[in-house]
Amino acid sequence: MADQKTGRAGEVKDSEWPLWEVFVQEVGGEPHQHAGSLHAPDAEMALQNARDVYSRRGKVSSMWVVPSEKITASSPEENGSFFDPSNDKVYRHPQFYKVPRGVKNL
Amino acid sequence: MTQDDAHRERAFQARIDADETIEPKDWMPERYRKQLIRMMSQHGHSEIVGMLPEGNWITRAPTLRRKMVLLAKVQDEAGHGLYLYSAAETLGIDRFELVQQLLDGTAKYSNIFNYPTLTWADIGVIGWFVDGAAIVNQTMLAHASYGPYARAMVRICKEENFHKKQGLEIVATMAGGTAEQRDMVQDAVNRWWWPSLMMFGPSDKDSPNSQELLRWRVKRKGNDELRQRFVDLTVPQAKAVNLTLPDPELRFNQESEHWEIGAINWEEFNQVIRGNGPCNRERLAARRRAFEDGRWVREAAAAYAAKRDTCNEFQAA
């Protein structure tokens, strides 16, 4: 597999290196956010390059690199049915329920 | 165009008009994709080629402080080139192809980087004018309709805050220095002013791409409006450091409250685009040399990754 990606040593192109997506957490406790992508031959170099490119300013507390091909994304064309907000199921919202008079902190 | 495509294009324009953001997997007209690839790759190439005129002075910066600042700035430009290349790749073009287009001369980059940096004062004036103009342009592009482009711009704008300031600091220091230093910085202003105004591109009425890009909200303002904003920002700054802008027709219009400039020499602009600027050949030669000189590093990294894969497979078996 690796041989197919990199080809013979004399024919290496940057673009034959896998693409990695970079996720950055700026402060501990916050979610990791997508920052961008980069090419690298392996995970170790992907992380080092990500450090160099995506953390040149301010604090970074954690970084993930993920091979782009491992990410499965939803299709925009199917958004309507796929992300049905279930607005017809009113019983999923607290306003649906009757509260006895005088009851507080429910 | 099939009826289906016409319908999709109308729906696409409706999304644009409603200020929705277009993401990589969304349907988009082929022309939108092509125009964005052209624009974003030009932008990325400009960041990369833009390192050359400034890199020219790193070894000769007058103090350690100036040297550290210039190094950090040039490193930023490399990072900005990578942000833009990775954003362009979301449109389905390959990084290798982008780089090849730069090296074989089919892709363009900003004309401004085909001018030479003759003295240290040029470094100050580049930060002040060239980065100043780029910030005006990029602040607008941070609201571009294509999500990955807009997000790259937000990142770049945040980082570029210091680029313009460090430039004006150099300019102000020299303008307040000896007569020789003053002359040197005035000479740099004289050489960079007009090429900086050309950075915004031809007047909208002569720009083949402007209307389309505005309709798609890739751009939010026309070339002339952006150029005017840059002029209005820069003229008072030049006064503050007692330098003269090389335009005898420059005057303040009381009614419009804008600074009006003389005619731009578009023949010079076209000559530089066609490859006849002072440094076109030198810049491309430098990029080609860098690509060749880096080849062994890319090969070594790939060979190492392949070898480690083999070792891992061996251990697993």
PDB file of all heavy atoms in Angstrom, chain B residues 42 49 60 77 85 89 91 111 141 189 200 220 222 229 243 261 268 270-271 279-280 295 308 312:
ATOM      1  N   GLN B  42      -3.739  31.833  -7.247  1.00  0.00           N
ATOM      2  CA  GLN B  42      -2.964  33.072  -7.442  1.00  0.00           C
ATOM      3  C   GLN B  42      -2.600  33.688  -6.099  1.00  0.00           C
ATOM      4  O   GLN B  42      -1.486  34.161  -5.896  1.00  0.00           O
ATOM      5  CB  GLN B  42      -3.797  34.102  -8.196  1.00  0.00           C
ATOM      6  CG  GLN B  42      -3.679  34.015  -9.691  1.00  0.00           C
ATOM      7  CD  GLN B  42      -4.455  35.136 -10.382  1.00  0.00           C
ATOM      8  OE1 GLN B  42      -4.744  36.169  -9.793  1.00  0.00           O
ATOM      9  NE2 GLN B  42      -4.784  34.911 -11.629  1.00  0.00           N
ATOM     10  N   VAL B  49       5.699  33.469  -3.441  1.00  0.00           N
ATOM     11  CA  VAL B  49       6.666  34.287  -4.184  1.00  0.00           C
ATOM     12  C   VAL B  49       6.979  35.564  -3.395  1.00  0.00           C
ATOM     13  O   VAL B  49       8.089  36.074  -3.437  1.00  0.00           O
ATOM     14  CB  VAL B  49       6.140  34.627  -5.596  1.00  0.00           C
ATOM     15  CG1 VAL B  49       7.118  35.532  -6.339  1.00  0.00           C
ATOM     16  CG2 VAL B  49       5.909  33.352  -6.396  1.00  0.00           C
ATOM     17  N   ARG B  60      20.715  40.975   5.960  1.00  0.00           N
ATOM     18  CA  ARG B  60      21.287  42.324   6.050  1.00  0.00           C
ATOM     19  C   ARG B  60      20.420  43.271   6.869  1.00  0.00           C
ATOM     20  O   ARG B  60      20.578  44.495   6.780  1.00  0.00           O
ATOM     21  CB  ARG B  60      21.494  42.885   4.636  1.00  0.00           C
ATOM     22  CG  ARG B  60      22.619  42.170   3.912  1.00  0.00           C
ATOM     23  CD  ARG B  60      22.667  42.586   2.464  1.00  0.00           C
ATOM     24  NE  ARG B  60      21.547  42.032   1.713  1.00  0.00           N
ATOM     25  CZ  ARG B  60      21.151  42.489   0.540  1.00  0.00           C
ATOM     26  NH1 ARG B  60      21.761  43.512   0.007  1.00  0.00           N
ATOM     27  NH2 ARG B  60      20.147  41.934  -0.092  1.00  0.00           N
ATOM     28  N   GLU B  77       4.303  34.346   5.855  1.00  0.00           N
ATOM     29  CA  GLU B  77       3.877  34.301   4.449  1.00  0.00           C
ATOM     30  C   GLU B  77       3.892  32.850   3.947  1.00  0.00           C
ATOM     31  O   GLU B  77       3.011  32.435   3.200  1.00  0.00           O
ATOM     32  CB  GLU B  77       4.768  35.171   3.551  1.00  0.00           C
ATOM     33  CG  GLU B  77       4.990  36.620   4.007  1.00  0.00           C
ATOM     34  CD  GLU B  77       3.725  37.453   4.163  1.00  0.00           C
ATOM     35  OE1 GLU B  77       2.635  36.941   3.884  1.00  0.00           O
ATOM     36  OE2 GLU B  77       3.839  38.618   4.572  1.00  0.00           O
ATOM     37  N   TYR B  85      -3.277  27.087  -0.235  1.00  0.00           N
ATOM     38  CA  TYR B  85      -3.195  25.873  -1.055  1.00  0.00           C
ATOM     39  C   TYR B  85      -4.156  24.812  -0.510  1.00  0.00           C
ATOM     40  O   TYR B  85      -4.855  24.159  -1.272  1.00  0.00           O
ATOM     41  CB  TYR B  85      -1.774  25.309  -1.065  1.00  0.00           C
ATOM     42  CG  TYR B  85      -0.775  26.073  -1.917  1.00  0.00           C
ATOM     43  CD1 TYR B  85       0.589  26.058  -1.618  1.00  0.00           C
ATOM     44  CD2 TYR B  85      -1.181  26.798  -3.035  1.00  0.00           C
ATOM     45  CE1 TYR B  85       1.519  26.734  -2.396  1.00  0.00           C
ATOM     46  CE2 TYR B  85      -0.258  27.492  -3.816  1.00  0.00           C
ATOM     47  CZ  TYR B  85       1.092  27.451  -3.491  1.00  0.00           C
ATOM     48  OH  TYR B  85       2.006  28.133  -4.270  1.00  0.00           O
ATOM     49  N   GLU B  89      -7.361  23.184  -2.476  1.00  0.00           N
ATOM     50  CA  GLU B  89      -7.475  21.738  -2.729  1.00  0.00           C
ATOM     51  C   GLU B  89      -8.871  21.187  -2.431  1.00  0.00           C
ATOM     52  O   GLU B  89      -9.254  20.159  -2.977  1.00  0.00           O
ATOM     53  CB  GLU B  89      -6.442  20.980  -1.898  1.00  0.00           C
ATOM     54  CG  GLU B  89      -5.070  20.990  -2.531  1.00  0.00           C
ATOM     55  CD  GLU B  89      -4.072  20.219  -1.695  1.00  0.00           C
ATOM     56  OE1 GLU B  89      -3.710  20.695  -0.590  1.00  0.00           O
ATOM     57  OE2 GLU B  89      -3.670  19.134  -2.118  1.00  0.00           O
ATOM     58  N   LEU B  91     -11.403  22.233  -3.556  1.00  0.00           N
ATOM     59  CA  LEU B  91     -12.182  22.370  -4.791  1.00  0.00           C
ATOM     60  C   LEU B  91     -11.839  21.268  -5.791  1.00  0.00           C
ATOM     61  O   LEU B  91     -12.312  21.281  -6.923  1.00  0.00           O
ATOM     62  CB  LEU B  91     -11.925  23.741  -5.412  1.00  0.00           C
ATOM     63  CG  LEU B  91     -12.511  24.899  -4.606  1.00  0.00           C
ATOM     64  CD1 LEU B  91     -11.829  26.210  -4.953  1.00  0.00           C
ATOM     65  CD2 LEU B  91     -14.009  25.014  -4.838  1.00  0.00           C
ATOM     66  N   ASN B 111       1.520  40.911  -9.246  1.00  0.00           N
ATOM     67  CA  ASN B 111       2.544  41.667  -9.968  1.00  0.00           C
ATOM     68  C   ASN B 111       3.566  42.329  -9.055  1.00  0.00           C
ATOM     69  O   ASN B 111       4.708  42.507  -9.430  1.00  0.00           O
ATOM     70  CB  ASN B 111       1.848  42.791 -10.745  1.00  0.00           C
ATOM     71  CG  ASN B 111       1.730  42.467 -12.215  1.00  0.00           C
ATOM     72  OD1 ASN B 111       2.196  41.423 -12.663  1.00  0.00           O
ATOM     73  ND2 ASN B 111       1.113  43.347 -12.966  1.00  0.00           N
ATOM     74  N   LEU B 141     -12.234  39.638   1.761  1.00  0.00           N
ATOM     75  CA  LEU B 141     -12.323  38.227   1.372  1.00  0.00           C
ATOM     76  C   LEU B 141     -12.657  37.312   2.555  1.00  0.00           C
ATOM     77  O   LEU B 141     -13.074  36.177   2.371  1.00  0.00           O
ATOM     78  CB  LEU B 141     -11.022  37.768   0.715  1.00  0.00           C
ATOM     79  CG  LEU B 141     -10.767  38.362  -0.676  1.00  0.00           C
ATOM     80  CD1 LEU B 141      -9.364  38.011  -1.159  1.00  0.00           C
ATOM     81  CD2 LEU B 141     -11.804  37.875  -1.672  1.00  0.00           C
ATOM     82  N   VAL B 189       9.336  54.946  -1.214  1.00  0.00           N
ATOM     83  CA  VAL B 189       7.920  55.323  -1.354  1.00  0.00           C
ATOM     84  C   VAL B 189       7.623  55.654  -2.820  1.00  0.00           C
ATOM     85  O   VAL B 189       6.621  55.204  -3.383  1.00  0.00           O
ATOM     86  CB  VAL B 189       7.590  56.530  -0.434  1.00  0.00           C
ATOM     87  CG1 VAL B 189       6.268  57.169  -0.826  1.00  0.00           C
ATOM     88  CG2 VAL B 189       7.568  56.094   1.024  1.00  0.00           C
ATOM     89  N   PHE B 200      -4.725  46.222  -6.664  1.00  0.00           N
ATOM     90  CA  PHE B 200      -6.171  45.982  -6.592  1.00  0.00           C
ATOM     91  C   PHE B 200      -6.757  45.571  -7.938  1.00  0.00           C
ATOM     92  O   PHE B 200      -7.933  45.253  -8.034  1.00  0.00           O
ATOM     93  CB  PHE B 200      -6.878  47.237  -6.054  1.00  0.00           C
ATOM     94  CG  PHE B 200      -6.473  47.555  -4.640  1.00  0.00           C
ATOM     95  CD1 PHE B 200      -5.476  48.474  -4.373  1.00  0.00           C
ATOM     96  CD2 PHE B 200      -7.069  46.889  -3.580  1.00  0.00           C
ATOM     97  CE1 PHE B 200      -5.079  48.740  -3.066  1.00  0.00           C
ATOM     98  CE2 PHE B 200      -6.685  47.153  -2.273  1.00  0.00           C
ATOM     99  CZ  PHE B 200      -5.683  48.085  -2.014  1.00  0.00           C
ATOM    100  N   ARG B 220     -16.772  41.162  -2.262  1.00  0.00           N
ATOM    101  CA  ARG B 220     -17.902  41.951  -1.760  1.00  0.00           C
ATOM    102  C   ARG B 220     -17.809  43.396  -2.199  1.00  0.00           C
ATOM    103  O   ARG B 220     -18.752  44.164  -2.040  1.00  0.00           O
ATOM    104  CB  ARG B 220     -17.934  41.912  -0.231  1.00  0.00           C
ATOM    105  CG  ARG B 220     -18.099  40.506   0.317  1.00  0.00           C
ATOM    106  CD  ARG B 220     -19.544  40.275   0.598  1.00  0.00           C
ATOM    107  NE  ARG B 220     -19.805  38.907   1.014  1.00  0.00           N
ATOM    108  CZ  ARG B 220     -20.975  38.505   1.472  1.00  0.00           C
ATOM    109  NH1 ARG B 220     -21.959  39.364   1.578  1.00  0.00           N
ATOM    110  NH2 ARG B 220     -21.163  37.253   1.808  1.00  0.00           N
ATOM    111  N   GLY B 222     -15.809  46.156  -5.226  1.00  0.00           N
ATOM    112  CA  GLY B 222     -15.081  46.245  -6.488  1.00  0.00           C
ATOM    113  C   GLY B 222     -13.646  46.708  -6.288  1.00  0.00           C
ATOM    114  O   GLY B 222     -13.277  47.215  -5.221  1.00  0.00           O
ATOM    115  N   ARG B 229     -10.243  52.876  -0.686  1.00  0.00           N
ATOM    116  CA  ARG B 229     -10.125  52.698   0.763  1.00  0.00           C
ATOM    117  C   ARG B 229      -8.653  52.725   1.185  1.00  0.00           C
ATOM    118  O   ARG B 229      -8.280  53.364   2.160  1.00  0.00           O
ATOM    119  CB  ARG B 229     -10.782  51.370   1.173  1.00  0.00           C
ATOM    120  CG  ARG B 229     -10.426  50.887   2.561  1.00  0.00           C
ATOM    121  CD  ARG B 229     -11.635  50.467   3.376  1.00  0.00           C
ATOM    122  NE  ARG B 229     -11.232  50.069   4.716  1.00  0.00           N
ATOM    123  CZ  ARG B 229     -11.249  50.880   5.774  1.00  0.00           C
ATOM    124  NH1 ARG B 229     -11.670  52.116   5.664  1.00  0.00           N
ATOM    125  NH2 ARG B 229     -10.845  50.445   6.957  1.00  0.00           N
ATOM    126  N   LEU B 243       6.251  62.191   4.607  1.00  0.00           N
ATOM    127  CA  LEU B 243       6.741  61.698   3.321  1.00  0.00           C
ATOM    128  C   LEU B 243       5.743  62.105   2.241  1.00  0.00           C
ATOM    129  O   LEU B 243       4.555  62.280   2.514  1.00  0.00           O
ATOM    130  CB  LEU B 243       6.917  60.181   3.359  1.00  0.00           C
ATOM    131  CG  LEU B 243       8.066  59.699   4.249  1.00  0.00           C
ATOM    132  CD1 LEU B 243       7.983  58.207   4.465  1.00  0.00           C
ATOM    133  CD2 LEU B 243       9.423  60.089   3.658  1.00  0.00           C
ATOM    134  N   ILE B 261      -6.788  60.326  -6.902  1.00  0.00           N
ATOM    135  CA  ILE B 261      -5.433  60.094  -7.416  1.00  0.00           C
ATOM    136  C   ILE B 261      -5.371  60.372  -8.914  1.00  0.00           C
ATOM    137  O   ILE B 261      -6.396  60.424  -9.588  1.00  0.00           O
ATOM    138  CB  ILE B 261      -4.974  58.633  -7.157  1.00  0.00           C
ATOM    139  CG1 ILE B 261      -5.989  57.641  -7.732  1.00  0.00           C
ATOM    140  CG2 ILE B 261      -4.760  58.402  -5.675  1.00  0.00           C
ATOM    141  CD1 ILE B 261      -5.514  56.204  -7.722  1.00  0.00           C
ATOM    142  N   GLU B 268       2.088  49.727 -17.831  1.00  0.00           N
ATOM    143  CA  GLU B 268       3.137  49.102 -17.015  1.00  0.00           C
ATOM    144  C   GLU B 268       2.603  47.809 -16.386  1.00  0.00           C
ATOM    145  O   GLU B 268       3.255  46.760 -16.405  1.00  0.00           O
ATOM    146  CB  GLU B 268       3.587  50.078 -15.922  1.00  0.00           C
ATOM    147  CG  GLU B 268       4.628  49.478 -14.969  1.00  0.00           C
ATOM    148  CD  GLU B 268       5.026  50.424 -13.836  1.00  0.00           C
ATOM    149  OE1 GLU B 268       4.966  51.657 -14.020  1.00  0.00           O
ATOM    150  OE2 GLU B 268       5.377  49.909 -12.756  1.00  0.00           O
ATOM    151  N   ASN B 270       0.232  45.839 -17.431  1.00  0.00           N
ATOM    152  CA  ASN B 270       0.098  44.780 -18.431  1.00  0.00           C
ATOM    153  C   ASN B 270       1.454  44.208 -18.844  1.00  0.00           C
ATOM    154  O   ASN B 270       1.583  43.003 -19.079  1.00  0.00           O
ATOM    155  CB  ASN B 270      -0.649  45.312 -19.663  1.00  0.00           C
ATOM    156  CG  ASN B 270      -2.114  45.551 -19.337  1.00  0.00           C
ATOM    157  OD1 ASN B 270      -2.705  44.830 -18.529  1.00  0.00           O
ATOM    158  ND2 ASN B 270      -2.708  46.577 -19.931  1.00  0.00           N
ATOM    159  N   GLN B 271       2.445  45.070 -18.919  1.00  0.00           N
ATOM    160  CA  GLN B 271       3.790  44.597 -19.257  1.00  0.00           C
ATOM    161  C   GLN B 271       4.303  43.620 -18.196  1.00  0.00           C
ATOM    162  O   GLN B 271       4.869  42.580 -18.523  1.00  0.00           O
ATOM    163  CB  GLN B 271       4.766  45.780 -19.377  1.00  0.00           C
ATOM    164  CG  GLN B 271       4.668  46.525 -20.696  1.00  0.00           C
ATOM    165  CD  GLN B 271       5.011  45.637 -21.888  1.00  0.00           C
ATOM    166  OE1 GLN B 271       5.808  44.707 -21.786  1.00  0.00           O
ATOM    167  NE2 GLN B 271       4.367  45.889 -23.013  1.00  0.00           N
ATOM    168  N   CYS B 279      11.652  41.702 -12.300  1.00  0.00           N
ATOM    169  CA  CYS B 279      12.138  40.479 -11.646  1.00  0.00           C
ATOM    170  C   CYS B 279      11.377  39.207 -12.001  1.00  0.00           C
ATOM    171  O   CYS B 279      11.580  38.184 -11.350  1.00  0.00           O
ATOM    172  CB  CYS B 279      12.105  40.642 -10.127  1.00  0.00           C
ATOM    173  SG  CYS B 279      13.128  41.980  -9.509  1.00  0.00           S
ATOM    174  N   ASN B 280      10.504  39.231 -13.020  1.00  0.00           N
ATOM    175  CA  ASN B 280       9.699  38.029 -13.300  1.00  0.00           C
ATOM    176  C   ASN B 280      10.558  36.772 -13.436  1.00  0.00           C
ATOM    177  O   ASN B 280      10.287  35.731 -12.835  1.00  0.00           O
ATOM    178  CB  ASN B 280       8.895  38.203 -14.585  1.00  0.00           C
ATOM    179  CG  ASN B 280       7.848  39.300 -14.480  1.00  0.00           C
ATOM    180  OD1 ASN B 280       8.186  40.431 -14.182  1.00  0.00           O
ATOM    181  ND2 ASN B 280       6.600  38.962 -14.706  1.00  0.00           N
ATOM    182  N   ARG B 295      13.882  18.499  -3.416  1.00  0.00           N
ATOM    183  CA  ARG B 295      13.463  17.176  -3.884  1.00  0.00           C
ATOM    184  C   ARG B 295      13.985  16.058  -2.984  1.00  0.00           C
ATOM    185  O   ARG B 295      13.251  15.160  -2.597  1.00  0.00           O
ATOM    186  CB  ARG B 295      13.939  16.948  -5.321  1.00  0.00           C
ATOM    187  CG  ARG B 295      13.463  15.646  -5.934  1.00  0.00           C
ATOM    188  CD  ARG B 295      14.029  15.452  -7.325  1.00  0.00           C
ATOM    189  NE  ARG B 295      13.520  16.409  -8.290  1.00  0.00           N
ATOM    190  CZ  ARG B 295      12.337  16.298  -8.910  1.00  0.00           C
ATOM    191  NH1 ARG B 295      11.556  15.274  -8.673  1.00  0.00           N
ATOM    192  NH2 ARG B 295      11.954  17.204  -9.776  1.00  0.00           N
ATOM    193  N   ARG B 308       9.135   2.520   7.420  1.00  0.00           N
ATOM    194  CA  ARG B 308       8.495   2.284   8.709  1.00  0.00           C
ATOM    195  C   ARG B 308       7.218   1.457   8.547  1.00  0.00           C
ATOM    196  O   ARG B 308       6.914   0.615   9.368  1.00  0.00           O
ATOM    197  CB  ARG B 308       8.203   3.588   9.428  1.00  0.00           C
ATOM    198  CG  ARG B 308       8.152   3.330  10.916  1.00  0.00           C
ATOM    199  CD  ARG B 308       8.363   4.524  11.722  1.00  0.00           C
ATOM    200  NE  ARG B 308       7.489   5.602  11.243  1.00  0.00           N
ATOM    201  CZ  ARG B 308       7.388   6.750  11.883  1.00  0.00           C
ATOM    202  NH1 ARG B 308       8.080   6.949  12.974  1.00  0.00           N
ATOM    203  NH2 ARG B 308       6.600   7.679  11.427  1.00  0.00           N
ATOM    204  N   ASN B 312       6.503  -2.055  10.445  1.00  0.00           N
ATOM    205  CA  ASN B 312       5.277  -2.282  11.219  1.00  0.00           C
ATOM    206  C   ASN B 312       4.564  -3.539  10.746  1.00  0.00           C
ATOM    207  O   ASN B 312       4.077  -4.335  11.551  1.00  0.00           O
ATOM    208  CB  ASN B 312       4.341  -1.088  11.122  1.00  0.00           C
ATOM    209  CG  ASN B 312       4.876   0.096  11.909  1.00  0.00           C
ATOM    210  OD1 ASN B 312       5.780  -0.072  12.728  1.00  0.00           O
ATOM    211  ND2 ASN B 312       4.354   1.272  11.644  1.00  0.00           N
TER     212      ASN B 312
END
